[in-house]
mmCIF file of all heavy atoms in Angstrom:
data_model
loop_
_atom_site.group_PDB
_atom_site.id
_atom_site.type_symbol
_atom_site.label_atom_id
_atom_site.label_comp_id
_atom_site.label_asym_id
_atom_site.label_seq_id
_atom_site.Cartn_x
_atom_site.Cartn_y
_atom_site.Cartn_z
ATOM 1 N N PHE A 1413 0.812 -1.210 0.000
ATOM 2 C CA PHE A 1413 0.000 0.000 0.000
ATOM 3 C C PHE A 1413 0.851 1.269 0.000
ATOM 4 O O PHE A 1413 0.325 2.365 0.197
ATOM 5 C CB PHE A 1413 -0.911 0.033 1.235
ATOM 6 C CG PHE A 1413 -1.771 -1.179 1.402
ATOM 7 C CD1 PHE A 1413 -1.894 -1.800 2.633
ATOM 8 C CD2 PHE A 1413 -2.461 -1.710 0.321
ATOM 9 C CE1 PHE A 1413 -2.696 -2.918 2.798
ATOM 10 C CE2 PHE A 1413 -3.270 -2.831 0.471
ATOM 11 C CZ PHE A 1413 -3.383 -3.441 1.710
ATOM 12 N N ALA A 1414 2.152 1.145 -0.190
ATOM 13 C CA ALA A 1414 3.049 2.292 -0.017
ATOM 14 C C ALA A 1414 4.011 2.421 -1.188
ATOM 15 O O ALA A 1414 4.117 1.540 -2.054
ATOM 16 C CB ALA A 1414 3.825 2.145 1.284
ATOM 17 N N GLY A 1415 4.728 3.539 -1.196
ATOM 18 C CA GLY A 1415 5.758 3.751 -2.201
ATOM 19 C C GLY A 1415 5.185 3.755 -3.603
ATOM 20 O O GLY A 1415 4.195 4.431 -3.884
ATOM 21 N N GLN A 1416 5.793 2.980 -4.500
ATOM 22 C CA GLN A 1416 5.391 3.001 -5.899
ATOM 23 C C GLN A 1416 3.937 2.572 -6.077
ATOM 24 O O GLN A 1416 3.216 3.134 -6.915
ATOM 25 C CB GLN A 1416 6.300 2.098 -6.729
ATOM 26 C CG GLN A 1416 6.074 2.231 -8.232
ATOM 27 C CD GLN A 1416 6.285 3.660 -8.719
ATOM 28 O OE1 GLN A 1416 7.344 4.233 -8.511
ATOM 29 N NE2 GLN A 1416 5.282 4.227 -9.374
ATOM 30 N N ALA A 1417 3.476 1.600 -5.302
ATOM 31 C CA ALA A 1417 2.083 1.158 -5.417
ATOM 32 C C ALA A 1417 1.125 2.309 -5.093
ATOM 33 O O ALA A 1417 0.116 2.522 -5.793
ATOM 34 C CB ALA A 1417 1.836 -0.030 -4.488
ATOM 35 N N TYR A 1418 1.425 3.048 -4.039
ATOM 36 C CA TYR A 1418 0.585 4.179 -3.630
ATOM 37 C C TYR A 1418 0.652 5.301 -4.667
ATOM 38 O O TYR A 1418 -0.385 5.848 -5.083
ATOM 39 C CB TYR A 1418 1.057 4.671 -2.265
ATOM 40 C CG TYR A 1418 0.213 5.758 -1.646
ATOM 41 C CD1 TYR A 1418 -0.904 5.443 -0.875
ATOM 42 C CD2 TYR A 1418 0.551 7.099 -1.802
ATOM 43 C CE1 TYR A 1418 -1.670 6.442 -0.279
ATOM 44 C CE2 TYR A 1418 -0.209 8.100 -1.212
ATOM 45 C CZ TYR A 1418 -1.317 7.769 -0.447
ATOM 46 O OH TYR A 1418 -2.065 8.764 0.141
ATOM 47 N N ARG A 1419 1.861 5.631 -5.103
ATOM 48 C CA ARG A 1419 2.015 6.718 -6.063
ATOM 49 C C ARG A 1419 1.294 6.399 -7.375
ATOM 50 O O ARG A 1419 0.661 7.270 -7.990
ATOM 51 C CB ARG A 1419 3.496 6.994 -6.316
ATOM 52 C CG ARG A 1419 4.229 7.529 -5.090
ATOM 53 C CD ARG A 1419 5.622 8.023 -5.416
ATOM 54 N NE ARG A 1419 6.531 6.968 -5.842
ATOM 55 C CZ ARG A 1419 7.305 6.273 -5.018
ATOM 56 N NH1 ARG A 1419 7.271 6.499 -3.698
ATOM 57 N NH2 ARG A 1419 8.132 5.350 -5.478
ATOM 58 N N THR A 1420 1.386 5.151 -7.813
ATOM 59 C CA THR A 1420 0.708 4.744 -9.042
ATOM 60 C C THR A 1420 -0.802 4.850 -8.900
ATOM 61 O O THR A 1420 -1.499 5.320 -9.811
ATOM 62 C CB THR A 1420 1.104 3.308 -9.416
ATOM 63 O OG1 THR A 1420 2.510 3.264 -9.675
ATOM 64 C CG2 THR A 1420 0.343 2.829 -10.643
ATOM 65 N N ALA A 1421 -1.322 4.433 -7.734
ATOM 66 C CA ALA A 1421 -2.772 4.491 -7.502
ATOM 67 C C ALA A 1421 -3.279 5.926 -7.496
ATOM 68 O O ALA A 1421 -4.314 6.242 -8.110
ATOM 69 C CB ALA A 1421 -3.115 3.795 -6.187
ATOM 70 N N ILE A 1422 -2.558 6.812 -6.815
ATOM 71 C CA ILE A 1422 -2.980 8.210 -6.758
ATOM 72 C C ILE A 1422 -2.886 8.847 -8.142
ATOM 73 O O ILE A 1422 -3.794 9.566 -8.587
ATOM 74 C CB ILE A 1422 -2.136 8.993 -5.742
ATOM 75 C CG1 ILE A 1422 -2.327 8.419 -4.319
ATOM 76 C CG2 ILE A 1422 -2.487 10.477 -5.778
ATOM 77 C CD1 ILE A 1422 -3.736 8.493 -3.790
ATOM 78 N N SER A 1423 -1.805 8.587 -8.844
ATOM 79 C CA SER A 1423 -1.632 9.157 -10.185
ATOM 80 C C SER A 1423 -2.723 8.663 -11.137
ATOM 81 O O SER A 1423 -3.244 9.431 -11.957
ATOM 82 C CB SER A 1423 -0.248 8.803 -10.736
ATOM 83 O OG SER A 1423 0.773 9.370 -9.937
ATOM 84 N N SER A 1424 -3.085 7.391 -11.034
ATOM 85 C CA SER A 1424 -4.132 6.841 -11.893
ATOM 86 C C SER A 1424 -5.479 7.485 -11.592
ATOM 87 O O SER A 1424 -6.268 7.777 -12.509
ATOM 88 C CB SER A 1424 -4.226 5.319 -11.710
ATOM 89 O OG SER A 1424 -3.031 4.689 -12.127
ATOM 90 N N TYR A 1425 -5.747 7.719 -10.315
ATOM 91 C CA TYR A 1425 -7.002 8.366 -9.935
ATOM 92 C C TYR A 1425 -7.058 9.805 -10.460
ATOM 93 O O TYR A 1425 -8.082 10.247 -10.991
ATOM 94 C CB TYR A 1425 -7.165 8.349 -8.417
ATOM 95 C CG TYR A 1425 -8.466 8.933 -7.941
ATOM 96 C CD1 TYR A 1425 -9.679 8.374 -8.315
ATOM 97 C CD2 TYR A 1425 -8.490 10.049 -7.116
ATOM 98 C CE1 TYR A 1425 -10.882 8.907 -7.881
ATOM 99 C CE2 TYR A 1425 -9.682 10.586 -6.674
ATOM 100 C CZ TYR A 1425 -10.879 10.011 -7.059
ATOM 101 O OH TYR A 1425 -12.066 10.543 -6.638
ATOM 102 N N VAL A 1426 -5.961 10.522 -10.340
ATOM 103 C CA VAL A 1426 -5.912 11.889 -10.850
ATOM 104 C C VAL A 1426 -6.137 11.898 -12.364
ATOM 105 O O VAL A 1426 -6.876 12.745 -12.892
ATOM 106 C CB VAL A 1426 -4.577 12.556 -10.473
ATOM 107 C CG1 VAL A 1426 -4.370 13.852 -11.240
ATOM 108 C CG2 VAL A 1426 -4.533 12.822 -8.969
ATOM 109 N N ARG A 1427 -5.522 10.962 -13.079
ATOM 110 C CA ARG A 1427 -5.736 10.883 -14.529
ATOM 111 C C ARG A 1427 -7.199 10.603 -14.852
ATOM 112 O O ARG A 1427 -7.755 11.164 -15.808
ATOM 113 C CB ARG A 1427 -4.851 9.800 -15.143
ATOM 114 C CG ARG A 1427 -3.420 10.229 -15.377
ATOM 115 C CD ARG A 1427 -2.716 9.284 -16.354
ATOM 116 N NE ARG A 1427 -2.775 7.900 -15.905
ATOM 117 C CZ ARG A 1427 -1.892 7.355 -15.076
ATOM 118 N NH1 ARG A 1427 -0.893 8.075 -14.599
ATOM 119 N NH2 ARG A 1427 -2.004 6.079 -14.728
ATOM 120 N N ALA A 1428 -7.826 9.746 -14.058
ATOM 121 C CA ALA A 1428 -9.238 9.430 -14.295
ATOM 122 C C ALA A 1428 -10.115 10.661 -14.073
ATOM 123 O O ALA A 1428 -11.085 10.881 -14.814
ATOM 124 C CB ALA A 1428 -9.671 8.286 -13.374
ATOM 125 N N LEU A 1429 -9.784 11.466 -13.064
ATOM 126 C CA LEU A 1429 -10.512 12.724 -12.864
ATOM 127 C C LEU A 1429 -10.325 13.648 -14.059
ATOM 128 O O LEU A 1429 -11.298 14.196 -14.592
ATOM 129 C CB LEU A 1429 -10.014 13.425 -11.593
ATOM 130 C CG LEU A 1429 -10.363 12.780 -10.253
ATOM 131 C CD1 LEU A 1429 -9.569 13.443 -9.136
ATOM 132 C CD2 LEU A 1429 -11.861 12.883 -9.973
ATOM 133 N N ASN A 1430 -9.095 13.804 -14.474
ATOM 134 C CA ASN A 1430 -8.796 14.680 -15.617
ATOM 135 C C ASN A 1430 -9.518 14.206 -16.873
ATOM 136 O O ASN A 1430 -9.998 15.029 -17.670
ATOM 137 C CB ASN A 1430 -7.300 14.734 -15.873
ATOM 138 C CG ASN A 1430 -6.493 15.427 -14.790
ATOM 139 O OD1 ASN A 1430 -5.264 15.336 -14.774
ATOM 140 N ND2 ASN A 1430 -7.147 16.115 -13.866
ATOM 141 N N ASP A 1431 -9.595 12.910 -17.063
ATOM 142 C CA ASP A 1431 -10.257 12.363 -18.253
ATOM 143 C C ASP A 1431 -11.738 12.724 -18.289
ATOM 144 O O ASP A 1431 -12.353 12.749 -19.358
ATOM 145 C CB ASP A 1431 -10.097 10.844 -18.305
ATOM 146 C CG ASP A 1431 -8.686 10.406 -18.663
ATOM 147 O OD1 ASP A 1431 -7.898 11.258 -19.127
ATOM 148 O OD2 ASP A 1431 -8.366 9.222 -18.459
ATOM 149 N N GLN A 1432 -12.321 12.984 -17.110
ATOM 150 C CA GLN A 1432 -13.718 13.395 -17.022
ATOM 151 C C GLN A 1432 -13.867 14.919 -17.005
ATOM 152 O O GLN A 1432 -14.943 15.448 -16.708
ATOM 153 C CB GLN A 1432 -14.362 12.797 -15.764
ATOM 154 C CG GLN A 1432 -14.509 11.296 -15.781
ATOM 155 C CD GLN A 1432 -15.495 10.824 -16.827
ATOM 156 O OE1 GLN A 1432 -16.516 11.464 -17.076
ATOM 157 N NE2 GLN A 1432 -15.204 9.694 -17.471
ATOM 158 N N GLY A 1433 -12.777 15.636 -17.305
ATOM 159 C CA GLY A 1433 -12.830 17.088 -17.332
ATOM 160 C C GLY A 1433 -12.776 17.735 -15.967
ATOM 161 O O GLY A 1433 -13.195 18.888 -15.807
ATOM 162 N N ILE A 1434 -12.253 17.016 -14.976
ATOM 163 C CA ILE A 1434 -12.212 17.502 -13.591
ATOM 164 C C ILE A 1434 -10.766 17.787 -13.205
ATOM 165 O O ILE A 1434 -9.890 16.929 -13.367
ATOM 166 C CB ILE A 1434 -12.830 16.464 -12.638
ATOM 167 C CG1 ILE A 1434 -14.306 16.241 -12.977
ATOM 168 C CG2 ILE A 1434 -12.682 16.908 -11.192
ATOM 169 C CD1 ILE A 1434 -14.961 15.127 -12.181
ATOM 170 N N TYR A 1435 -10.521 18.978 -12.685
ATOM 171 C CA TYR A 1435 -9.202 19.303 -12.154
ATOM 172 C C TYR A 1435 -8.989 18.560 -10.837
ATOM 173 O O TYR A 1435 -9.946 18.147 -10.175
ATOM 174 C CB TYR A 1435 -9.082 20.805 -11.887
ATOM 175 C CG TYR A 1435 -8.963 21.656 -13.122
ATOM 176 C CD1 TYR A 1435 -10.090 22.010 -13.868
ATOM 177 C CD2 TYR A 1435 -7.719 22.123 -13.542
ATOM 178 C CE1 TYR A 1435 -9.981 22.799 -14.995
ATOM 179 C CE2 TYR A 1435 -7.599 22.920 -14.670
ATOM 180 C CZ TYR A 1435 -8.743 23.252 -15.392
ATOM 181 O OH TYR A 1435 -8.630 24.035 -16.513
ATOM 182 N N ALA A 1436 -7.728 18.421 -10.453
ATOM 183 C CA ALA A 1436 -7.391 17.783 -9.184
ATOM 184 C C ALA A 1436 -6.505 18.717 -8.360
ATOM 185 O O ALA A 1436 -5.628 19.384 -8.906
ATOM 186 C CB ALA A 1436 -6.670 16.459 -9.411
ATOM 187 N N VAL A 1437 -6.764 18.752 -7.061
ATOM 188 C CA VAL A 1437 -5.882 19.418 -6.099
ATOM 189 C C VAL A 1437 -5.255 18.322 -5.247
ATOM 190 O O VAL A 1437 -5.952 17.667 -4.470
ATOM 191 C CB VAL A 1437 -6.647 20.408 -5.200
ATOM 192 C CG1 VAL A 1437 -5.706 21.005 -4.147
ATOM 193 C CG2 VAL A 1437 -7.281 21.512 -6.027
ATOM 194 N N VAL A 1438 -3.975 18.089 -5.416
ATOM 195 C CA VAL A 1438 -3.263 17.105 -4.599
ATOM 196 C C VAL A 1438 -2.755 17.818 -3.351
ATOM 197 O O VAL A 1438 -2.069 18.839 -3.449
ATOM 198 C CB VAL A 1438 -2.095 16.481 -5.384
ATOM 199 C CG1 VAL A 1438 -1.291 15.538 -4.493
ATOM 200 C CG2 VAL A 1438 -2.625 15.732 -6.605
ATOM 201 N N GLU A 1439 -3.120 17.314 -2.199
ATOM 202 C CA GLU A 1439 -2.733 17.987 -0.945
ATOM 203 C C GLU A 1439 -2.230 16.991 0.079
ATOM 204 O O GLU A 1439 -2.646 15.834 0.114
ATOM 205 C CB GLU A 1439 -3.898 18.804 -0.396
ATOM 206 C CG GLU A 1439 -5.111 18.002 0.034
ATOM 207 C CD GLU A 1439 -5.195 17.745 1.527
ATOM 208 O OE1 GLU A 1439 -4.269 18.147 2.272
ATOM 209 O OE2 GLU A 1439 -6.179 17.118 1.951
ATOM 210 N N VAL A 1440 -1.314 17.462 0.926
ATOM 211 C CA VAL A 1440 -0.768 16.622 1.999
ATOM 212 C C VAL A 1440 -1.655 16.781 3.228
ATOM 213 O O VAL A 1440 -1.777 17.869 3.783
ATOM 214 C CB VAL A 1440 0.684 17.008 2.319
ATOM 215 C CG1 VAL A 1440 1.196 16.173 3.483
ATOM 216 C CG2 VAL A 1440 1.556 16.810 1.093
ATOM 217 N N HIS A 1441 -2.250 15.670 3.654
ATOM 218 C CA HIS A 1441 -3.230 15.708 4.741
ATOM 219 C C HIS A 1441 -2.677 15.110 6.035
ATOM 220 O O HIS A 1441 -2.819 15.696 7.097
ATOM 221 C CB HIS A 1441 -4.484 14.949 4.304
ATOM 222 C CG HIS A 1441 -5.747 15.444 4.929
ATOM 223 N ND1 HIS A 1441 -6.450 16.529 4.431
ATOM 224 C CD2 HIS A 1441 -6.438 15.015 6.004
ATOM 225 C CE1 HIS A 1441 -7.521 16.734 5.180
ATOM 226 N NE2 HIS A 1441 -7.538 15.826 6.134
ATOM 227 N N TRP A 1442 -2.080 13.910 5.934
ATOM 228 C CA TRP A 1442 -1.492 13.262 7.112
ATOM 229 C C TRP A 1442 0.016 13.183 6.927
ATOM 230 O O TRP A 1442 0.511 12.846 5.854
ATOM 231 C CB TRP A 1442 -2.057 11.863 7.291
ATOM 232 C CG TRP A 1442 -3.441 11.823 7.891
ATOM 233 C CD1 TRP A 1442 -4.293 12.874 8.046
ATOM 234 C CD2 TRP A 1442 -4.112 10.675 8.409
ATOM 235 N NE1 TRP A 1442 -5.463 12.453 8.621
ATOM 236 C CE2 TRP A 1442 -5.382 11.110 8.859
ATOM 237 C CE3 TRP A 1442 -3.769 9.330 8.518
ATOM 238 C CZ2 TRP A 1442 -6.313 10.232 9.433
ATOM 239 C CZ3 TRP A 1442 -4.692 8.461 9.087
ATOM 240 C CH2 TRP A 1442 -5.941 8.895 9.548
ATOM 241 N N SER A 1443 0.730 13.478 7.994
ATOM 242 C CA SER A 1443 2.194 13.455 7.956
ATOM 243 C C SER A 1443 2.712 13.237 9.369
ATOM 244 O O SER A 1443 1.938 13.235 10.327
ATOM 245 C CB SER A 1443 2.741 14.780 7.395
ATOM 246 O OG SER A 1443 2.338 15.872 8.215
ATOM 247 N N ALA A 1444 4.017 13.058 9.495
ATOM 248 C CA ALA A 1444 4.641 12.907 10.812
ATOM 249 C C ALA A 1444 6.146 13.062 10.666
ATOM 250 O O ALA A 1444 6.714 12.710 9.627
ATOM 251 C CB ALA A 1444 4.317 11.538 11.428
ATOM 252 N N PRO A 1445 6.812 13.574 11.692
ATOM 253 C CA PRO A 1445 8.258 13.780 11.601
ATOM 254 C C PRO A 1445 9.041 12.497 11.858
ATOM 255 O O PRO A 1445 8.558 11.562 12.509
ATOM 256 C CB PRO A 1445 8.521 14.803 12.703
ATOM 257 C CG PRO A 1445 7.464 14.512 13.727
ATOM 258 C CD PRO A 1445 6.257 14.098 12.953
ATOM 259 N N GLY A 1446 10.258 12.456 11.351
ATOM 260 C CA GLY A 1446 11.196 11.387 11.671
ATOM 261 C C GLY A 1446 10.652 10.009 11.403
ATOM 262 O O GLY A 1446 10.100 9.717 10.341
ATOM 263 N N SER A 1447 10.753 9.150 12.412
ATOM 264 C CA SER A 1447 10.325 7.758 12.275
ATOM 265 C C SER A 1447 8.887 7.524 12.728
ATOM 266 O O SER A 1447 8.422 6.388 12.745
ATOM 267 C CB SER A 1447 11.258 6.851 13.080
ATOM 268 O OG SER A 1447 11.229 7.203 14.460
ATOM 269 N N GLU A 1448 8.166 8.593 13.094
ATOM 270 C CA GLU A 1448 6.767 8.443 13.493
ATOM 271 C C GLU A 1448 5.906 8.064 12.292
ATOM 272 O O GLU A 1448 6.130 8.540 11.177
ATOM 273 C CB GLU A 1448 6.237 9.741 14.099
ATOM 274 C CG GLU A 1448 6.863 10.141 15.416
ATOM 275 C CD GLU A 1448 6.265 11.428 15.956
ATOM 276 O OE1 GLU A 1448 5.084 11.720 15.640
ATOM 277 O OE2 GLU A 1448 6.975 12.151 16.685
ATOM 278 N N LEU A 1449 4.902 7.242 12.534
ATOM 279 C CA LEU A 1449 3.968 6.869 11.478
ATOM 280 C C LEU A 1449 2.925 7.968 11.312
ATOM 281 O O LEU A 1449 2.387 8.479 12.297
ATOM 282 C CB LEU A 1449 3.291 5.545 11.827
ATOM 283 C CG LEU A 1449 2.364 4.940 10.769
ATOM 284 C CD1 LEU A 1449 3.117 4.651 9.476
ATOM 285 C CD2 LEU A 1449 1.718 3.662 11.303
ATOM 286 N N ALA A 1450 2.649 8.331 10.083
ATOM 287 C CA ALA A 1450 1.720 9.428 9.791
ATOM 288 C C ALA A 1450 0.285 8.960 9.965
ATOM 289 O O ALA A 1450 -0.360 8.486 9.027
ATOM 290 C CB ALA A 1450 1.957 9.937 8.372
ATOM 291 N N ARG A 1451 -0.240 9.142 11.170
ATOM 292 C CA ARG A 1451 -1.595 8.697 11.508
ATOM 293 C C ARG A 1451 -2.582 9.845 11.671
ATOM 294 O O ARG A 1451 -3.704 9.635 12.130
ATOM 295 C CB ARG A 1451 -1.574 7.874 12.801
ATOM 296 C CG ARG A 1451 -0.860 6.531 12.681
ATOM 297 C CD ARG A 1451 -0.947 5.764 13.987
ATOM 298 N NE ARG A 1451 -0.350 4.446 13.923
ATOM 299 C CZ ARG A 1451 -0.994 3.344 13.529
ATOM 300 N NH1 ARG A 1451 -2.261 3.419 13.185
ATOM 301 N NH2 ARG A 1451 -0.380 2.182 13.513
ATOM 302 N N GLY A 1452 -2.182 11.068 11.357
ATOM 303 C CA GLY A 1452 -3.100 12.183 11.522
ATOM 304 C C GLY A 1452 -2.473 13.483 11.074
ATOM 305 O O GLY A 1452 -1.378 13.511 10.514
ATOM 306 N N GLN A 1453 -3.194 14.553 11.351
ATOM 307 C CA GLN A 1453 -2.720 15.882 10.987
ATOM 308 C C GLN A 1453 -1.719 16.382 12.023
ATOM 309 O O GLN A 1453 -1.951 16.275 13.225
ATOM 310 C CB GLN A 1453 -3.881 16.869 10.915
ATOM 311 C CG GLN A 1453 -4.875 16.593 9.819
ATOM 312 C CD GLN A 1453 -5.874 17.719 9.668
ATOM 313 O OE1 GLN A 1453 -5.518 18.827 9.280
ATOM 314 N NE2 GLN A 1453 -7.132 17.439 9.967
#
């Protein structure tokens, strides 16, 4: 669910939106510093 698999899935979804004439706003929602797992804002 991470790395290239995740990036490919998001990119494919954005392309599908664009194909329907819809713009996309890609935004960073969950993150975390250092070795912490990004479980929230």
Side-chain angles (χ1 to χ4, degrees):
F1413 306 134
Q1416 189 58 56
Y1418 185 87
R1419 294 190 294 269
T1420 297
I1422 298 298
S1423 297
S1424 296
Y1425 183 61
V1426 167
R1427 280 197 304 273
L1429 290 169
N1430 292 168
D1431 287 346
Q1432 293 293 323
I1434 298 174
Y1435 287 81
V1437 176
V1438 176
E1439 65 99 357
V1440 177
H1441 209 83
W1442 282 13
S1443 60
S1447 60
E1448 293 181 28
L1449 185 60
R1451 292 183 177 273
Q1453 294 189 67

